[in-house]
Amino acid sequence: MIFFGMIQCRSTKMNIFSQRKNWKQLLDGKRTYLRPPRGHHVLSDVFKCPDTRKAALGRQKRLSRLVEKHSKNFFKEKIKILCQHYAHFRRTRGDGNCFYRAFLFSYLENLGLMQDSQAEVTRLIEHVAMSRENFCRLKWDKAYFLNPEEYFSSVVSEFSHLVNSVANGLSSNELYNRSIQEFVPLRIISLLRLLAETEIRSREDDYKSLLPKEMDALTYCCKELRPLDVEAEVLPMRALTYALGIPLRVETVDDGLNRGIQVKRLDLFPRSVSGKGPLHLVESYWSSITTPEPQEIGSGNLLSSDDTPLLTLMCRPRHCDILYRSEQN
């Protein structure tokens, strides 16, 4: 009996080893944008077998549950403010990629609800094609790529397949099941980071005032965009919004009490929507005494009928989740 248990245990270990070996084989042993140069730090579990990690996305839950579970009163009050506008939220795994994962999944959900989703896919791919032209003009360290253009094309192909699947009727449940699988989303997340970097480096003059002091665009991207365990700040959010032409609303629930119990809202608009340049945003603050405004759901595009972004994320310190308006539930 003991001998059989030892064999079973060894078999389980061999199975896990085989899974991890096959998982690494999916990367083809190549250096890519997913792998930093030799000697650079890598988040220890980025390349773990999918079965050994927490789910990348959770199911929708009542936003009010955050009020019940959190211990800090000021945080509870800020969530109560959001509850005036939103009914549900969806957790994302806090592994450094939560913004990109939340942005992608929220976009795909909204794409699936569009009346003319194929037209939106065409528009999106056109934006990606323009980014590819800028990407090809930039110099890339071979420590990150063996063949930059080949890598870009291969990941864009996967991205295009995913968005077309949604436009052609991929159900919400199927989308969720695909999204919690690791490999394809991880490569696509690397594409989102790459698109943001290409945007910042190609339009450095537009973003110069937003870069940290004594840091150029390339240095910033190497430190803040390429590592898969670095959470996105507002600058990469702006860059990705413009690169893909996708408006975004960010509800910020931070630790600050400088303005009292308030929630900071940022509406990020690409030039094609706002007509005011790539860095246009609308900033506002909401408190418990603010009268909630009706938030109507649009159709056929990424803006609601009141011209506000449909994609909405809740950003807490070093983490992003997806928010769902009350009218959607």
Side-chain angles (χ1 to χ4, degrees):
M1 190 72 174
I2 295 176
F3 178 71
F4 174 76
M6 292 175 62
I7 293 177
Q8 189 176 39
C9 180
R10 181 176 297 177
S11 174
T12 301
K13 289 182 178 179
M14 288 297 293
N15 185 44
I16 293 175
F17 174 78
S18 176
Q19 286 178 325
R20 290 185 177 181
K21 183 178 180 181
N22 291 338
W23 177 241
K24 288 182 179 294
Q25 284 176 347
L26 291 174
L27 296 171
D28 299 324
K30 297 177 181 177
R31 289 172 294 175
T32 69
Y33 197 72
L34 293 171
R35 288 187 182 278
R38 185 174 299 176
H40 283 222
H41 170 72
V42 183
L43 188 64
S44 60
D45 61 350
V46 164
F47 297 107
K48 278 188 178 179
C49 170
D51 293 338
T52 66
R53 310 186 68 191
K54 294 181 180 179
L57 289 165
R59 298 285 183 183
Q60 277 194 43
K61 294 183 179 179
R62 297 287 303 178
L63 183 58
S64 57
R65 292 187 61 180
L66 288 179
V67 179
E68 301 166 1
K69 291 191 172 184
H70 212 279
S71 59
K72 295 181 179 179
N73 288 330
F74 76 88
F75 183 85
K76 291 182 178 182
E77 293 303 315
K78 290 187 177 185
I79 296 300
K80 287 180 182 178
I81 295 172
L82 288 180
C83 286
Q84 298 177 55
H85 306 273
Y86 306 96
H88 293 80
F89 79 109
R90 186 190 299 276
R91 290 186 185 276
T92 60
R93 187 175 60 223
D95 60 357
N97 296 302
C98 55
F99 161 70
Y100 301 98
R101 186 174 288 111
F103 179 92
L104 174 64
F105 191 81
S106 182
Y107 170 75
L108 293 174
E109 282 188 306
N110 280 283
L111 175 64
L113 297 174
M114 289 184 182
Q115 294 178 351
D116 191 357
S117 55
Q118 197 56 57
E120 165 58 21
V121 171
T122 300
R123 184 207 63 80
L124 180 71
I125 298 304
E126 287 176 354
H127 272 70
V128 174
M130 288 188 287
S131 291
R132 184 183 184 281
E133 292 179 7
N134 291 330
F135 171 86
C136 293
R137 295 190 187 104
L138 297 172
K139 293 182 179 179
W140 296 95
D141 188 343
K142 290 187 178 179
Y144 286 87
F145 295 105
L146 289 181
N147 188 323
E149 292 186 33
E150 180 182 350
Y151 179 72
F152 190 95
S153 297
S154 68
V155 183
V156 167
S157 177
E158 294 174 18
F159 181 57
S160 177
H161 176 73
L162 179 59
V163 295
N164 273 292
S165 295
V166 174
N168 291 329
L170 185 70
S171 72
S172 179
N173 285 335
E174 290 173 320
L175 173 61
Y176 175 79
N177 290 333
R178 285 194 183 190
S179 296
I180 61 177
Q181 297 170 11
E182 292 290 341
F183 180 66
V184 172
L186 186 59
R187 280 173 56 86
I188 292 176
I189 284 171
S190 79
L191 172 65
L192 299 183
R193 288 179 176 271
L194 188 56
L195 290 170
E197 174 171 350
T198 299
E199 165 66 17
I200 293 171
R201 289 176 59 193
S202 298
R203 305 177 191 273
E204 185 166 356
D205 289 342
D206 289 335
Y207 294 95
K208 188 175 295 184
S209 63
L210 303 173
L211 293 170
K213 292 182 179 179
E214 301 180 358
M215 188 178 291
D216 61 14
L218 177 58
T219 303
Y220 174 83
C221 291
C222 287
K223 291 185 176 181
E224 301 296 332
L225 271 171
R226 295 186 184 182
L228 286 175
D229 57 347
V230 176
E231 298 289 354
E233 299 173 337
V234 175
L235 177 51
M237 293 180 186
R238 288 182 174 187
L240 186 60
T241 292
Y242 183 64
L244 292 177
I246 297 175
L248 173 67
R249 169 166 285 183
V250 178
E251 304 280 13
T252 304
V253 182
D254 56 26
D255 294 330
L257 293 174
N258 295 333
R259 293 177 173 265
I261 304 297
Q262 292 184 326
V263 174
K264 181 179 180 181
R265 170 180 291 174
L266 295 176
D267 284 343
L268 310 176
F269 295 98
R271 179 181 294 161
S272 59
V273 174
S274 68
K276 298 182 180 180
L279 305 183
H280 175 57
L281 63 80
V282 177
E283 181 178 307
S284 55
Y285 289 84
W286 302 91
S287 68
S288 57
I289 61 174
T290 303
T291 302
E293 296 180 350
Q295 299 186 47
E296 300 179 16
I297 304 303
S299 61
N301 55 43
L302 295 167
L303 294 174
S304 65
S305 58
D306 57 355
D307 292 328
T308 58
L310 289 177
L311 271 72
T312 307
L313 306 183
M314 174 176 61
C315 288
R316 293 176 275 170
R318 298 172 296 282
H319 190 70
C320 287
D321 292 317
I322 303 171
L323 285 175
Y324 296 89
R325 298 183 181 191
S326 301
E327 290 87 348
Q328 285 180 299
N329 300 281

